[in-house]
């Protein structure tokens, strides 16, 4: 969010025209490429799109419920929406970025609440509440185009994801927790959020620093792009963690494996020797 049209700053206008979004971030518009309004904020979504697609492919035979794999799908949608929004700064594509963040977080919270449920047993009350919360947020945000309202609604979901996951961890025996992965995920996400706050509150200072540094060294201070990377990798590792907890509860176990340098959960039945999937 940010600072728009700083005094004395000349920003280009690309093929998408002037921004119609309710927010404009600290990266200067159309400076690198006339086809992307915010170049670094756009391309930093590459991993958010590509990695969950591969993860879904490698995880599609996993025995946990389908909605655990749905987390990968909503993450891809968020990545596509964010790429589209930052590439154009159009209001309609801003919604494609922000609203899926609500729906994806609601999906992740439901998965966290279902970790210790019986197989294929839904919690109707939690499901209806999250659907109602997402619908209410969408309705109000479409009428009252206030980004602060969106941030609070999103933050509430993230807060309860952390609370519920912590609660689940305390109910699982220590040998099965492997909560180091959760701590890494949370650290990455919060580090990215810290850079988001700096980008939001200290944009004139960041722009001044970038103006004094040679390119491409100056682009290290594109903190919103770093937020994309931190929040994605934190979220992706969290999905791996919560999916593993669910596998443990339904009689499987797994460990982090790597394919093409990408981490994923390799699972196997608890009572049998490790098998190749």
């Amino acid at each position: 969010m940010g600072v728009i049209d700083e005094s004395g700053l000349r920003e280009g206008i690309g093929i998408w025209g002037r921004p119609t979004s309710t927010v404009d971030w600290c990266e200067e518009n159309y400076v690198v490429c006339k086809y992307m309004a915010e170049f670094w904020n756009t391309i930093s979504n590459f991993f958010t799109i590509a990695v969950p697609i591969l993860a879904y492919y490698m995880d599609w035979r996993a025995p946990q419920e389908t909605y655990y794999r749905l987390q990968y799908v909503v993450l891809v949608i968020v990545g596509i929406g964010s790429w589209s929004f930052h590439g154009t700064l159009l209001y309609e594509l801003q919604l494609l970025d922000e609203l899926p963040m609500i729906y994806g977080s609601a999906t992740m919270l439901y998965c966290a609440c279902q970790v210790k449920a019986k197989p294929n047993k839904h919690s109707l009350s939690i499901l209806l509440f999250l659907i109602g919360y997402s619908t209410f947020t969408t309705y109000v945000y479409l009428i009252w185009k206030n980004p602060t309202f969106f941030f609070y609604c999103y933050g509430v979901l993230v807060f309860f994801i952390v609370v519920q996951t912590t609660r689940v961890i305390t109910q699982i025996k220590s040998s099965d927790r492997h909560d180091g992965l959760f701590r890494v995920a949370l650290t990455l996400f919060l580090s990215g959020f810290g850079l988001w706050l700096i980008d939001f509150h200290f944009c004139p200072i960041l722009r001044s620093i970038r103006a004094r540094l040679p390119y491409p060294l100056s682009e290290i201070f594109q903190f919103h792009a770093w937020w994309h990377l931190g929040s994605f990798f934190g979220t992706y590792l969290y999905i791996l963690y919560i999916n593993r907890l669910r596998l443990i509860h339904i009689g499987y176990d797994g460990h982090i494996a790597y394919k093409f340098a990408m981490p994923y959960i390799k699972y196997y039945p608890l009572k049998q020797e490790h098998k190749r999937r």
Side-chain angles (χ1 to χ4, degrees), residues 145-215:
K145 301 175 182 179
N146 186 335
T148 302
F149 170 77
F150 160 76
F151 293 143
Y152 278 114
C153 290
Y154 173 66
V156 166
L157 289 172
V158 172
F159 173 78
F160 280 107
I161 288 171
V162 175
V163 170
Q164 176 60 21
T165 304
T166 303
R167 178 173 172 270
V168 169
I169 290 173
T170 62
Q171 299 172 353
I172 295 176
K173 61 182 182 179
S174 58
S175 60
D176 290 334
R177 290 178 186 173
H178 290 268
D179 52 357
L181 183 61
F182 175 59
R183 290 196 296 269
V184 171
L186 190 58
T187 298
L188 285 171
F189 187 92
L190 291 178
S191 297
F193 179 62
L195 294 176
W196 182 94
L197 288 173
I198 295 173
D199 184 86
F200 177 72
H201 290 289
F202 301 102
C203 180
I205 295 175
L206 289 175
R207 285 184 165 184
S208 177
I209 293 173
R210 291 200 295 265
R212 287 168 170 76
L213 291 175
Y215 184 89

Side-chain angles (χ1 to χ4, degrees), residues 85-275:
F85 166 47
H86 288 288
T88 65
L89 292 180
L90 299 179
Y91 172 70
E92 295 78 8
L93 297 178
Q94 176 187 345
L95 296 177
L96 183 61
D97 174 20
E98 293 173 335
L99 292 178
M101 292 172 65
I102 298 293
Y103 310 147
S105 298
T107 302
M108 293 169 64
L109 180 54
Y110 184 73
C111 289
C113 292
Q114 289 293 102
V115 166
K116 297 184 70 65
K118 294 180 180 179
N120 297 308
K121 179 72 173 180
H122 287 279
S123 175
L124 187 59
S125 59
I126 296 175
L127 185 61
L128 289 176
F129 173 80
L130 290 173
I131 291 174
Y133 182 89
S134 300
T135 302
F136 169 79
T137 301
T138 301
Y139 177 76
V140 173
Y141 192 45
L142 289 176
I143 296 174
W144 185 35
K145 301 175 182 179
N146 186 335
T148 302
F149 170 77
F150 160 76
F151 293 143
Y152 278 114
C153 290
Y154 173 66
V156 166
L157 289 172
V158 172
F159 173 78
F160 280 107
I161 288 171
V162 175
V163 170
Q164 176 60 21
T165 304
T166 303
R167 178 173 172 270
V168 169
I169 290 173
T170 62
Q171 299 172 353
I172 295 176
K173 61 182 182 179
S174 58
S175 60
D176 290 334
R177 290 178 186 173
H178 290 268
D179 52 357
L181 183 61
F182 175 59
R183 290 196 296 269
V184 171
L186 190 58
T187 298
L188 285 171
F189 187 92
L190 291 178
S191 297
F193 179 62
L195 294 176
W196 182 94
L197 288 173
I198 295 173
D199 184 86
F200 177 72
H201 290 289
F202 301 102
C203 180
I205 295 175
L206 289 175
R207 285 184 165 184
S208 177
I209 293 173
R210 291 200 295 265
R212 287 168 170 76
L213 291 175
Y215 184 89
L217 184 62
S218 58
E219 305 314 293
I220 293 175
F221 291 89
Q222 298 289 0
F223 282 179
H224 193 86
W226 287 110
W227 147 250
H228 286 165
L229 294 174
S231 61
F232 162 68
F233 284 109
T235 300
Y236 177 69
L237 292 179
Y238 172 81
I239 292 173
L240 295 185
Y241 181 71
I242 207 69
N243 285 3
R244 181 183 177 277
L245 292 185
R246 180 56 179 168
L247 286 168
I248 290 173
H249 186 74
I250 61 176
Y252 289 78
D253 198 0
H255 62 273
I256 295 291
Y258 294 87
K259 183 173 289 188
F260 310 117
M262 187 190 81
Y264 72 102
I265 297 294
K266 187 172 184 179
Y267 67 89
Y268 47 86
L270 276 171
K271 296 182 180 180
Q272 299 181 23
E273 304 218 346
H274 295 199
K275 297 180 178 180

Side-chain angles (χ1 to χ4, degrees), residues 75-90:
L75 197 52
V76 172
I77 295 172
V78 168
I80 293 173
S82 184
W83 181 294
S84 303
F85 166 47
H86 288 288
T88 65
L89 292 180
L90 299 179

Side-chain angles (χ1 to χ4, degrees), residues 40-56:
W40 298 105
N41 289 351
T42 300
I43 66 170
S44 56
N45 288 288
F46 171 78
F47 293 106
T48 312
I49 299 170
V51 172
I53 292 175
L54 294 175
Y56 186 93

Side-chain angles (χ1 to χ4, degrees), residues 17-56:
R18 293 190 177 278
T20 60
S21 59
T22 61
V23 295
D24 191 357
W25 301 94
C26 192
E27 181 179 352
E28 297 83 353
N29 298 341
Y30 296 109
V31 171
V32 177
C33 173
K34 69 177 182 179
Y35 301 104
M36 293 183 185
E38 297 174 342
F39 179 81
W40 298 105
N41 289 351
T42 300
I43 66 170
S44 56
N45 288 288
F46 171 78
F47 293 106
T48 312
I49 299 170
V51 172
I53 292 175
L54 294 175
Y56 186 93

